[in-house]
Amino acid sequence: MEQIHVIGGGLAGLTAAITAAESGARVTLHEGHRTLGGRARTTDGPHRANEGPHALYRRGPHWTWLARRDLLGPVVSAPPLDGLRFRFRRDGAARRVPPVALLRLARRSARTAPVDADFRSWATGQIGEEGARAAANFAATALFHHDPGALSARFVQERFRRLASLPPEARYPVGGWARLIERMAAHARGLGVAVEAGARVDTRRLGELARTGPVVVATSLDSARTLLADASLTWESGRTVLVDLALRTRRGDAFVVSDLDAPGWLERFTAQDPGLAPAGEQLLQGQFPIGPDARRAEGAARAEDLLDLGFPGWRERTTWRVEALADGRTGAVDRPGATWRDRPSVVRGDGVFLAGDQVAAPGLLSEVSFTSGLEAAMLAVKAAGRRSGSGVDLNRT
């Protein structure tokens, strides 16, 4: 069988590389950075923060796939007692319970939400204007978007339902997402995948690789647009301020503060994984979506509002703080009238396939990267088999 090249060593790229190798292909993974992971990286040092407040969702498509290969590793959920420390910001004050309207909407199947209507209008008809606004802001946890109410009702309700499920779906890889990436990379190498880190691929190099076999481009959509010189590779994403900080531990701190007045979320990740920070400290991660013309300081100010509500005296207790702006790197969002099928196709022609979190594949957040990586790899293997005239075994995946 011919060679298959995978460009990009994040979750999508590693999924594609493993899938192709398990089907018997010779695979080379090209990563422009010195380390693998993409947005699934975790900071080094005593404070181990993911690049954004990530979680695995137990009912997601990659859960079984990872577990079957013994790649899931140790994962944890929030301790039950910390669930009692969930706080909701509503009308500027901290509340211990969500509005009843949110609980009512969580019982509505996503299939009842229209694709063509915006979430705000549809939810207002279900639970009233005030409830719809709170639900949209709560759903921003899985959207990273400054105006969730303007997005497709079906798209938002699918995510709202999973966020509000009981018991919670969210699980957290012990040690951060970098540990999951390390296991996937080791598995790929064990299957014979050649990993070339620090090997940035440009358009000329892409042409050379494509002459030797199919190519899976598993980069951000912006990078893929430049690499493939294809102006059609665009889709809307979010613009989000990421805030990470460590505080000296204090009894009574909140576990989560969810902003229902505006899109925003702050979570104490050491509640479930104390090893993410030194003894006596706790690690918090938050995300605060801002509009296209807003400045990063706006998101940081909203983060501090939530800190004031859930973590009294946080300024004096802060031992470490990092802020970043994730612009167009937070996954695809669908406007009314669009679904995941309308996003850029996995198939790009001439033996080139696309994977990533803004590609035409189903799922929630990282699940889109996984499902597109899986699909791209299987199509690449099939294309390689046609070029070489050999049979392929897609049942191995």
Side-chain angles (χ1 to χ4, degrees), residues 94-348:
R95 319 279 181 170
R96 292 179 178 273
V97 295
V100 174
L102 264 66
L103 303 178
R104 287 170 48 205
L105 191 65
R107 294 198 294 267
R108 302 284 197 279
S109 168
R111 291 190 296 273
T112 67
V115 170
D116 295 336
D118 67 87
F119 180 78
R120 184 181 296 111
S121 300
W122 174 76
T124 296
Q126 304 292 314
I127 56 173
E129 184 177 351
E130 184 178 347
R133 183 171 56 253
N137 291 330
F138 179 77
T141 306
L143 298 170
F144 295 85
H145 191 272
H146 70 285
D147 188 10
L151 304 177
S152 165
R154 176 74 59 85
F155 173 79
V156 178
Q157 182 65 5
E158 286 173 344
R159 285 140 187 82
F160 177 79
R161 287 254 305 170
R162 293 185 67 186
L163 284 170
S165 66
L166 291 174
E169 278 196 56
R171 298 292 186 272
Y172 307 84
V174 172
W177 275 61
R179 295 290 183 252
L180 174 62
I181 293 299
E182 289 168 4
R183 288 189 290 273
M184 293 182 73
H187 185 63
R189 289 187 174 98
L191 291 168
V193 175
V195 177
E196 296 185 1
R200 191 170 297 278
V201 175
D202 57 17
T203 303
R204 180 189 62 80
R205 177 63 174 152
L206 174 65
E208 295 173 353
L209 297 177
R211 284 192 288 273
T212 68
V215 177
V216 175
V217 176
T219 67
S220 70
L221 202 59
D222 283 349
S223 296
R225 182 170 59 252
T226 300
L227 183 62
L228 299 177
D230 185 347
S232 72
L233 294 181
T234 61
W235 199 262
E236 186 175 358
S237 186
R239 189 165 182 261
T240 300
V241 177
L242 304 175
V243 178
D244 308 327
L245 70 163
L247 309 179
R248 287 189 292 275
T249 301
R250 177 176 175 175
R251 287 178 61 86
D253 278 348
F255 165 47
V256 165
V257 185
S258 175
D259 196 343
L260 303 185
D261 293 341
W265 178 272
L266 189 66
E267 181 170 347
R268 178 164 52 90
F269 273 65
T270 40
Q272 54 268 26
D273 188 0
L276 297 177
E281 297 183 26
Q282 49 196 18
L283 176 71
L284 281 60
Q285 293 203 259
Q287 57 99 351
F288 299 87
I290 57 175
D293 300 320
R295 301 178 63 184
R296 191 174 81 178
E298 178 183 319
R302 285 172 31 218
E304 295 188 356
D305 288 343
L306 295 198
L307 286 163
D308 287 338
L309 289 178
F311 302 87
W314 68 270
R315 290 175 177 83
E316 294 74 27
R317 294 192 283 142
T318 299
T319 59
W320 176 78
R321 179 171 177 171
V322 176
E323 295 176 11
L325 176 63
D327 193 349
R329 301 190 308 111
T330 57
V333 296
D334 296 340
R335 290 283 178 177
T339 71
W340 62 264
R341 294 176 175 84
D342 300 302
R343 301 173 196 160
S345 173
V346 170
V347 180
R348 306 315 305 174

